[in-house]
Amino acid sequence: AQHMGFRWLRTDIAWRSVEPQPGAFDFRGLRGAFVLARERGFRILGILDYGHPVYTDMKAPSDARQRAAFSRYARRAQEELQDWVAAWEVWNEPNHPRFWAPTPDVEAYAVLLREVATSLWRAQPRTLVVSGGLSTVDRKFLHGIVPTVEDLAKSGSIGVGIHPYRWTPPETVVNDLEAAGLLSKQGQKIYGRLGYASARKDMPSKEGPAKKI
């Protein structure tokens, strides 16, 4: 991967995996993998994500108690892995029902982002936080979280996460970002997952049957 120019690894630090039982944390497996990655020169973007079978019934945090439990897990992850993790992403694709169950809720996500970022900065003020990478340049969802990100940026380092999936070349994302008003914001950090599509535009959706290509 390094020979191809890759310098970052983005990976889950799944809540249910590192806290299998309430209050019982185990980061040994991740720590070993992260040590190897850092020894090979990679920087790590750790994703704090997904529900918990006890705290949230595997759904996204939806109330103060659940958010508090998620923030405790985030802080414990920071304590255990901060020597190897360069940035912390709060959730993955919170605008997609597959990842923010049962239904995406921009206001609920903005509250979670604020609480987690504040908790991480309280312990380590220089921590770099990234909002959960959105599935596509979702303008409606972006408009819901950007005010929170801009307000949080007064207190610490934070970027906006976007996964601008498309059938056109990845360079065309510039037009979408301009339309969303992101490129015009001075100092606004953007994290993106870019690439060339390997499937045809007429491929069925994930709900439809698979088709060999």
Side-chain angles (χ1 to χ4, degrees), residues 13 113 179 198:
I13 303 174
L113 176 63
S198 60

Side-chain angles (χ1 to χ4, degrees), residues 46-92:
I47 316 169
L48 302 164
D49 57 11
Y50 306 138
H52 191 279
V54 177
Y55 291 116
T56 70
D57 194 28
M58 291 308 298
K59 298 180 176 64
S62 61
D63 58 34
R65 181 185 62 82
Q66 293 178 0
R67 288 192 299 271
F70 188 90
S71 292
R72 285 195 299 271
Y73 134 74
R75 275 285 298 114
R76 187 63 180 270
Q78 181 187 40
E79 292 173 1
E80 297 283 347
L81 303 173
Q82 62 186 339
D83 289 343
W84 303 280
V85 175
W88 301 87
E89 183 173 351
V90 183
W91 214 266
N92 171 63

Side-chain angles (χ1 to χ4, degrees), residues 27-202:
F27 292 90
R28 288 174 295 180
L30 281 174
R31 189 183 298 113
F34 288 2
V35 167
L36 291 176
R38 291 296 294 129
E39 288 177 348
R40 286 160 175 75
F42 288 101
R43 303 183 74 189
I44 297 170
L45 174 62
I47 316 169
L48 302 164
D49 57 11
Y50 306 138
H52 191 279
V54 177
Y55 291 116
T56 70
D57 194 28
M58 291 308 298
K59 298 180 176 64
S62 61
D63 58 34
R65 181 185 62 82
Q66 293 178 0
R67 288 192 299 271
F70 188 90
S71 292
R72 285 195 299 271
Y73 134 74
R75 275 285 298 114
R76 187 63 180 270
Q78 181 187 40
E79 292 173 1
E80 297 283 347
L81 303 173
Q82 62 186 339
D83 289 343
W84 303 280
V85 175
W88 301 87
E89 183 173 351
V90 183
W91 214 266
N92 171 63
E93 300 192 354
N95 62 327
H96 196 298
R98 177 180 177 185
F99 302 112
W100 187 278
T103 305
D105 183 331
V106 65
E107 293 182 1
Y109 175 70
V111 173
L112 181 70
L113 176 63
R114 182 180 295 277
E115 292 187 10
V116 173
T118 301
S119 177
L120 297 179
W121 289 334
R122 187 178 298 120
Q124 295 290 338
R126 296 175 64 85
T127 296
L128 174 58
V129 176
V130 180
S131 67
L134 302 185
S135 175
T136 74
V137 182
D138 184 336
R139 295 189 200 176
K140 183 177 180 181
F141 207 94
L142 277 169
H143 291 162
I145 65 169
V146 164
T148 297
V149 172
E150 291 179 332
D151 187 51
L152 286 170
K154 301 172 185 176
S155 302
S157 298
I158 187 167
V160 176
I162 303 175
H163 302 159
Y165 305 122
R166 60 200 50 247
W167 300 108
T168 55
E171 294 82 3
T172 60
V173 71
V174 172
N175 295 332
D176 288 343
L177 295 180
E178 288 178 339
L182 294 177
L183 294 186
S184 63
K185 297 181 181 297
Q186 296 298 319
Q188 183 71 63
K189 300 179 180 69
I190 305 294
Y191 166 76
R193 188 160 76 183
L194 294 169
Y196 287 88
S198 60
R200 295 194 305 268
K201 188 173 183 178
D202 60 351

